[in-house]
Amino acid sequence: MTTTVVPARAAWSSVVRAGETLTITDLHGNQAVDCLVYDAHDTSVRYSAPDTIHAQGRIFLTTGSVLLSNEHTPLMTVVADEVGRHDTVGGACSKESNTLRYGHHTWAQHACVDNFLAEGARHGLGKRDLVSNINWYMNVPVEKDGTLGIVDGLSAPGLTVSLRAERDVLVLVSNCPQINNPCNGFEPTAVEMTITGTMTSAATTTSAATTTSAATTTGADTTTTAGATSTGAGTA
């Protein structure tokens, strides 16, 4: 098992092997977690919001939802959800969208697109590889007139969502830095990423420097917080 605490506004990435489970924990409540998923061996195969929405017949994700690729093949499956629904259509905040929605004074504010580009570059990904993303925990209801709302989240401290990898996948996360709408309660906070299952390689990476040890490949519990790694005596 590997556990990483992702600080407020930070990025994270990891390869999650087929059969392993990624659990995201909203440590403090009301924190949106933007997410992209790619086939770890062929990143041209990546999460597709249209395929996923069409296959399940609804726009929200919850237990049983299968994240489909642009080839209509399964990438990950939501196997447990303590929140109830997660957004697929709200997209990722950017300097451009912040400026359009909230004014030019927001241009210098960090945004999810910045996180995705910086973290994706570690894996050879660029702007053309960014697609419509998932927003775990984000509450984006569709109003009667068809417009989208961004309102207070449905989550609470400690609530989790867990996904099983159906193949080896690369997961990119932006722990959303947005402060201009209620998606993070106007105060971004840390979240936790935990990978459980049979580890076959040192797959986990973070945007902070991480010290790896033999425990990553032998199954001992590993916890990373802001770049420091500690190893426990337990086994996954």
Side-chain angles (χ1 to χ4, degrees):
M1 179 176 74
T2 62
T3 297
T4 303
V5 175
V6 184
R9 302 178 177 86
W12 175 91
S13 62
S14 179
V15 172
V16 184
R17 304 297 180 187
E20 293 181 333
T21 298
L22 170 65
T23 297
I24 307 170
T25 304
D26 187 2
L27 294 175
H28 302 279
N30 209 16
Q31 174 61 37
V33 180
D34 291 41
C35 181
L36 291 169
V37 183
Y38 302 82
D39 185 308
H41 305 291
D42 180 3
T43 56
S44 69
V45 180
R46 69 278 304 266
Y47 169 72
S48 169
D51 285 84
T52 300
I53 292 168
H54 179 265
Q56 69 172 3
R58 57 185 176 184
I59 63 171
F60 300 114
L61 301 177
T62 189
T63 304
S65 296
V66 179
L67 310 186
L68 293 181
S69 75
N70 53 327
E71 295 187 344
H72 211 75
T73 52
L75 297 171
M76 305 186 84
T77 300
V78 181
V79 293
D81 175 22
E82 296 181 334
V83 179
R85 70 182 197 189
H86 304 265
D87 171 60
T88 60
V89 295
C93 59
S94 66
K95 293 180 182 297
E96 292 79 9
S97 64
N98 281 346
T99 299
L100 180 64
R101 292 173 178 170
Y102 310 115
H104 190 72
H105 67 282
T106 65
W107 175 259
Q109 294 176 3
H110 196 55
C112 284
V113 169
D114 301 319
N115 275 341
F116 281 143
L117 289 174
E119 194 68 20
R122 297 162 57 87
H123 305 279
L125 301 174
K127 183 172 288 189
R128 290 185 177 183
D129 297 301
L130 299 189
V131 294
S132 297
N133 60 287
I134 300 161
N135 292 307
W136 301 113
Y137 301 107
M138 192 168 165
N139 188 13
V140 184
V142 179
E143 309 296 349
K144 290 183 178 180
D145 62 359
T147 60
L148 301 179
I150 299 178
V151 298
D152 242 3
L154 302 173
S155 186
L159 295 189
T160 64
V161 56
S162 297
L163 302 102
R164 182 183 64 237
E166 304 300 346
R167 62 175 73 186
D168 292 352
V169 292
L170 169 64
V171 180
L172 298 187
V173 158
S174 170
N175 192 18
C176 185
Q178 182 61 256
I179 58 173
N180 300 292
N181 67 50
C183 72
N184 299 320
F186 300 102
E187 184 180 357
T189 55
V191 296
E192 186 176 84
M193 315 296 290
T194 301
I195 299 173
T196 55
T198 304
M199 296 292 288
T200 57
S201 66
T204 302
T205 62
T206 66
S207 56
T210 302
T211 303
T212 56
S213 68
T216 307
T217 55
T218 58
D221 293 347
T222 304
T223 302
T224 305
T225 306
T229 302
S230 61
T231 303
T235 56

